[in-house]
């Protein structure tokens, strides 16, 4: 693995403490020191950021990123949001199992 491209709504903030978080990971999950970690902010979220983030974290300016929008993970939430009313009073275990089933079904349909 030569490089990893991460897309995260607040990557500009997350990257500040990435080294600390990485040091706490088990060795099996750690990136090789030769692997280049690059991050972007998804296109829908970028306009809400400061101007200095636009040039540094834009997908449009990232070589090798293609024409993606970086919002793929967000689209699944739109299909799960209606379940909030039926799950808001569940305990943690029931809630986790229900959400896990819903996402499993959604992934199967995709």
């Amino acid at each position: 693995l030569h490089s990893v491209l991460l897309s995260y709504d607040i990557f500009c903030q997350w990257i500040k403490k990435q080294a600390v978080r990485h040091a706490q990971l088990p060795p099996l999950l750690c990136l090789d020191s030769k692997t280049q970690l690059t991050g972007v902010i998804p296109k829908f979220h970028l306009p809400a950021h400061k101007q200095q983030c636009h040039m540094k974290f834009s997908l449009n300016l990232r070589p090798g990123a293609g024409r993606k929008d970086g919002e793929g993970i967000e689209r699944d939430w739109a299909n799960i949001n209606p379940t909030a009313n039926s799950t808001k009073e569940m305990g943690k275990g029931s809630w986790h199992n229900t959400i896990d089933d819903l996402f499993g079904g959604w992934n199967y349909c995709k």
Side-chain angles (χ1 to χ4, degrees):
L1 190 61
H2 298 287
S3 64
V4 174
L5 178 67
L6 296 175
S7 173
Y8 184 41
D9 301 354
I10 56 169
F11 186 83
C12 55
Q13 296 300 312
W14 179 85
I15 194 65
K16 292 177 182 178
K17 296 191 179 187
Q18 187 274 335
V20 173
R21 290 187 203 97
H22 190 264
Q24 296 171 349
L25 289 172
L28 185 62
L29 297 177
C30 289
L31 292 174
D32 187 321
S33 61
K34 297 175 187 173
T35 303
Q36 179 186 359
L37 178 64
T38 306
V40 294
I41 298 172
K43 290 182 181 181
F44 177 78
H45 290 85
L46 193 59
H49 286 255
K50 294 179 180 178
Q51 191 66 33
Q52 63 197 37
C53 291
H54 291 214
M55 293 296 286
K56 192 171 181 181
F57 299 110
S58 173
L59 268 162
N60 290 335
L61 305 174
R62 184 68 53 208
R67 297 301 305 160
K68 62 175 48 186
D69 64 3
E71 297 285 349
I73 192 98
E74 300 283 341
R75 288 191 258 300
D76 293 344
W77 285 109
N79 295 294
I80 298 300
N81 282 342
T83 64
N85 285 333
S86 62
T87 61
K88 67 183 173 187
E89 294 186 18
M90 290 182 175
K92 287 184 178 184
S94 297
W95 180 86
H96 185 273
N97 288 342
T98 301
I99 296 297
D100 192 43
D101 286 344
L102 289 167
F103 273 106
W106 177 248
N107 287 334
Y108 177 78
C109 290
K110 286 194 293 184

